[in-house]
């Protein structure tokens, strides 16, 4: 959900503060006012969720001093300066210091609204990017994104924690859509290089000449540093490393050998397992493969993750239902079994698409999850996996999903879950213990 943006209005003249505040409030903005720069500084810190509108001429700390203070706290904070007649040179200097823009009195209120709209959009983008960077550097947050309690996922999480602490190069293998790039982020975030640079380059996004310049240089005066230099001391992730030509593989091997041991820059190579049965080892020259695969992680395909499929579908459906403002679809026992049995050639990426379409279908009141799966898998033979499972496993998976969904809906209220599922308390407690469901996980 997008963060609500505020506008802080700073002016020593009460009438001006109120008129600007009223106009912006009528335009849909959330405003707050301050009679002085000193008062405003007490409430405007780093990551302030909004923008600032300030007069330049104020007693005590004037607008220019105020601007310099704000830029010292958060240089990306948009500050719109209001100038009087003859203050334009001062406003130009304010822009040089870091002001977002300025308005000269008397100004058109509509122009103020338009400027405030652009500034808040820019601020929201800045804060979203900061939040993303924090998330991608927070090992615990990233590990939580690796949803699932199946044995293969527990083993994957253990591998990430173990190899994250090591210092050698890593090869990540897995089918398309399994989440290999997320694993690469997590490896960096839980390791000793977490505070260093994390640089990602797709080896299929550029023609060979351009890829060579981006990866190795040389960088001219008007070109950015090659990623090898940009990632120095941190982690360089090479997506689709199997797509590198023999010549590029040789250059990469030379760079790795020149770094020595331990490597100054850790390389995490991501390789997509090929449908025609070729492995990453088949696609890379032997000496490069063994340097990159000193440590190796294989990300499991979705079809091997059992009940994780239902857990992921539930979480994704809830996210999309919030986004589209409608109810998430209720999954029947038959549909749960179909989700578990589907071959999922596109893995988690395909599951995300199915969950979104299921929510949209539910909003319209048409279609079924089964029809989505059939449409997705019509070119896949067989349409469903041939690996049969005992009925008991499907029943237990559905039962766990049902209790989990109901607990989320009732925010951990045991009484609410008992009433909806018509279960006595002792039976509910036993089933929650059986499926490792903790009431504390659902409380808000």
């Amino acid at each position: 959900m997008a963060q609500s943006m505020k506008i802080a209005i700073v002016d020593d003249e009460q009438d001006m503060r109120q008129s600007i505040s009223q106009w912006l409030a009528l335009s849909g903005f959330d405003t707050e006012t301050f009679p002085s720069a000193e008062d405003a500084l007490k409430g405007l810190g780093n990551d302030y969720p909004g923008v600032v509108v300030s007069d330049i001429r104020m007693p005590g700390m004037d607008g220019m001093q105020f601007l310099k203070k704000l830029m010292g706290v958060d240089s990306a904070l948009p500050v719109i300066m209001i100038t009087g007649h003859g203050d334009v040179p001062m406003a130009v200097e304010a822009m040089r210091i870091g002001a977002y823009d300025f308005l000269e009195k008397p100004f058109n209120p509509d122009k103020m609204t338009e400027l405030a709209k652009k500034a808040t959009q820019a601020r929201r983008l800045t804060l979203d990017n900061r939040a993303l960077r924090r998330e991608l550097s927070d090992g615990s947050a990233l590990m939580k994104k690796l949803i699932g309690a199946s044995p293969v996922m527990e083993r994957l999480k253990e591998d990430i924690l173990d190899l994250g602490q090591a210092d050698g190069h890593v090869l990540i293998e897995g089918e398309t859509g399994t989440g290999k790039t997320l694993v690469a982020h997590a490896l960096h975030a839980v390791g000793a290089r977490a505070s260093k640079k994390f640089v990602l380059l797709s080896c299929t996004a550029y023609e060979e000449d351009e890829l060579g310049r981006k990866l190795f240089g040389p960088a001219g005066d008007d070109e950015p540093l090659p990623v090898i230099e940009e990632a120095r001391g941190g982690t360089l992730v090479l997506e689709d490393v199997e797509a590198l030509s023999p010549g590029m593989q040789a250059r990469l091997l030379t760079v790795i050998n020149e770094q020595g041991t331990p490597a100054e820059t850790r390389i995490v190579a991501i390789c997509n397992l090929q449908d025609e049965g070729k492995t990453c080892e088949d696609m890379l020259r032997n000496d490069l493969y063994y340097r990159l695969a000193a440590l190796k992680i294989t990300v499991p395909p979705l079809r091997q993750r059992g009940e994780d499929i239902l857990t992921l579908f539930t979480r994704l459906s809830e996210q999309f239902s919030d986004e589209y403002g409608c109810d998430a679809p209720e999954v029947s026992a038959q549909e749960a079994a179909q989700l578990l049995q589907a071959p999922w050639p596109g893995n988690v990426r395909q599951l995300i698409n199915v969950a979104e379409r299921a929510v949209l279908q539910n909003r319209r009141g048409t279609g079924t999850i089964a029809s989505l799966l059939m449409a997705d898998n019509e070119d896949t033979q067989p349409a469903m996996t041939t690996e049969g499972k005992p009925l008991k496993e499907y029943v237990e998976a559905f039962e766990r999903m049902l209790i989990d969904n109901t607990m989320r809906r009732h925010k951990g209220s045991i009484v609410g879950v008992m009433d909806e599922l018509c279960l006595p308390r002792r039976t509910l407690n036993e089933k929650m213990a059986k499926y490792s469901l903790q009431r504390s996980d659902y409380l808000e």
Side-chain angles (χ1 to χ4, degrees):
M1 187 177 293
Q3 187 176 20
S4 175
M5 291 285 107
K6 294 182 179 181
I7 297 185
I9 301 160
V10 187
D11 199 307
D12 61 305
E13 296 182 18
Q14 183 176 1
D15 289 346
M16 181 61 74
R17 286 198 311 273
Q18 288 181 342
S19 62
I20 294 175
S21 177
Q22 288 171 359
W23 178 259
L24 291 175
L26 287 172
S27 300
F29 293 101
D30 181 9
T31 65
E32 54 182 341
T33 61
F34 301 93
S36 69
E38 291 86 352
D39 288 334
L41 282 173
K42 297 174 185 176
L44 301 175
N46 189 32
D47 285 345
Y48 175 70
V51 305
V52 177
V53 176
S54 174
D55 194 11
I56 282 187
R57 294 193 179 275
M58 296 184 290
M61 184 184 297
D62 66 17
M64 297 296 284
Q65 295 171 309
F66 179 45
L67 174 63
K68 290 175 183 177
K69 291 275 189 182
L70 289 176
M71 292 299 97
V73 173
D74 187 345
S75 61
L77 176 65
V79 181
I80 300 169
M81 308 300 293
I82 299 175
T83 71
H85 181 67
D87 287 338
V88 172
M90 194 181 297
V92 173
E93 174 64 12
M95 295 284 285
R96 188 190 67 79
I97 294 172
Y100 182 79
D101 211 330
F102 68 91
L103 288 170
E104 187 177 4
K105 298 176 184 176
F107 53 80
N108 184 331
D110 288 328
K111 187 175 180 182
M112 164 70 80
T113 301
E114 185 63 28
L115 195 53
K117 188 180 298 182
K118 290 180 180 177
T120 53
Q121 289 172 347
R123 184 59 171 170
R124 178 175 286 112
L125 181 60
T126 295
L127 295 180
D128 287 348
N129 287 339
R130 284 181 183 173
L132 178 61
R133 283 198 298 271
R134 281 195 290 267
E135 184 178 332
L136 293 179
S137 65
D138 183 346
S140 60
L142 277 170
M143 293 300 283
K144 288 178 182 176
K145 282 182 169 288
L146 296 168
I147 297 170
S150 61
V152 290
M153 282 304 289
E154 290 299 327
R155 188 160 55 251
L156 174 64
K157 294 172 189 176
E158 290 172 3
D159 287 345
I160 291 171
L161 292 172
D162 289 343
L163 300 192
Q165 298 302 313
D167 211 34
H169 304 307
V170 182
L171 178 68
I172 301 175
E173 292 184 325
E175 296 177 9
T176 298
T178 49
K180 298 183 292 298
T181 302
L182 175 61
V183 170
H185 276 291
L187 267 174
H188 176 77
V190 300
R193 300 175 189 258
S195 61
K196 306 294 185 180
K197 278 289 193 79
F198 177 94
V199 180
L200 187 145
L201 179 71
S202 170
C203 298
T204 57
Y206 309 96
E207 296 294 332
E208 182 160 352
D209 288 347
E210 186 178 1
L211 179 62
R213 290 195 300 273
K214 285 187 173 294
L215 186 52
F216 306 111
D221 294 337
D222 58 345
E223 292 184 64
L225 285 174
V227 294
I228 288 287
E229 292 298 322
E230 186 184 350
R232 184 178 294 276
T235 301
L236 171 61
V237 178
L238 299 177
E239 289 186 319
D240 303 306
V241 69
E242 76 280 1
L244 290 177
S245 68
M248 295 287 280
Q249 290 185 33
R251 293 180 70 182
L252 178 59
L253 180 64
T254 299
V255 169
I256 292 174
N257 289 335
E258 287 175 349
Q259 286 198 73
T261 305
E264 184 176 14
T265 301
R266 186 182 209 185
I267 295 177
V268 176
I270 295 178
C271 180
N272 282 307
L273 297 178
Q274 304 297 304
D275 292 337
E276 55 268 24
K278 289 188 177 180
T279 66
C280 194
E281 187 173 359
D282 298 326
M283 306 289 286
L284 296 177
R285 52 186 289 165
N286 286 345
D287 42 8
L288 177 60
Y289 174 80
Y290 289 115
R291 292 305 300 272
L292 293 176
L295 304 170
K296 188 163 71 170
I297 288 180
T298 301
V299 184
L302 186 60
R303 61 183 174 275
Q304 293 180 4
R305 293 177 54 183
E307 292 179 28
D308 288 353
I309 296 170
L310 299 183
T311 303
L312 279 164
F313 183 82
T314 298
R315 302 284 177 86
L316 291 166
S317 297
E318 290 172 350
Q319 290 172 13
F320 284 122
S321 65
D322 287 343
E323 181 178 335
Y324 290 114
C326 60
D327 293 332
E330 292 187 8
V331 181
S332 68
Q334 181 181 4
E335 288 172 327
Q338 290 167 336
L339 286 167
L340 289 169
Q341 287 178 301
W344 299 113
N347 292 292
V348 177
R349 198 173 297 154
Q350 180 187 359
L351 180 62
I352 293 170
N353 294 336
V354 170
E356 181 174 18
R357 284 182 287 158
V359 169
L360 292 172
Q361 278 190 167
N362 195 55
R363 185 172 67 173
R364 296 193 302 267
T366 60
T368 63
I369 293 172
S371 65
L372 293 175
L373 292 175
M374 289 177 66
D376 261 18
N377 297 311
E378 62 184 357
D379 296 327
T380 305
Q381 296 296 330
M384 295 294 175
T385 56
T386 55
E387 298 174 8
K389 294 184 179 180
L391 177 62
K392 180 173 177 289
E393 287 190 26
Y394 290 127
V395 172
E396 289 179 347
F398 176 71
E399 193 172 64
R400 186 188 189 283
M401 181 196 69
L402 193 60
I403 296 173
D404 178 52
N405 289 352
T406 311
M407 287 291 291
R408 288 182 185 282
R409 196 159 49 248
H410 289 281
K411 299 178 174 61
S413 168
I414 295 295
V415 174
V417 176
M418 288 166 52
D419 289 345
E420 181 171 336
L421 299 181
C422 300
L423 287 175
R425 189 182 193 101
R426 180 177 177 181
T427 303
L428 178 59
N429 288 342
E430 289 174 350
K431 290 186 180 295
M432 288 184 67
K434 175 181 178 181
Y435 300 128
S436 301
L437 299 174
Q438 303 289 331
R439 178 174 176 266
S440 59
D441 293 338
Y442 303 95
L443 298 175
E444 292 189 351

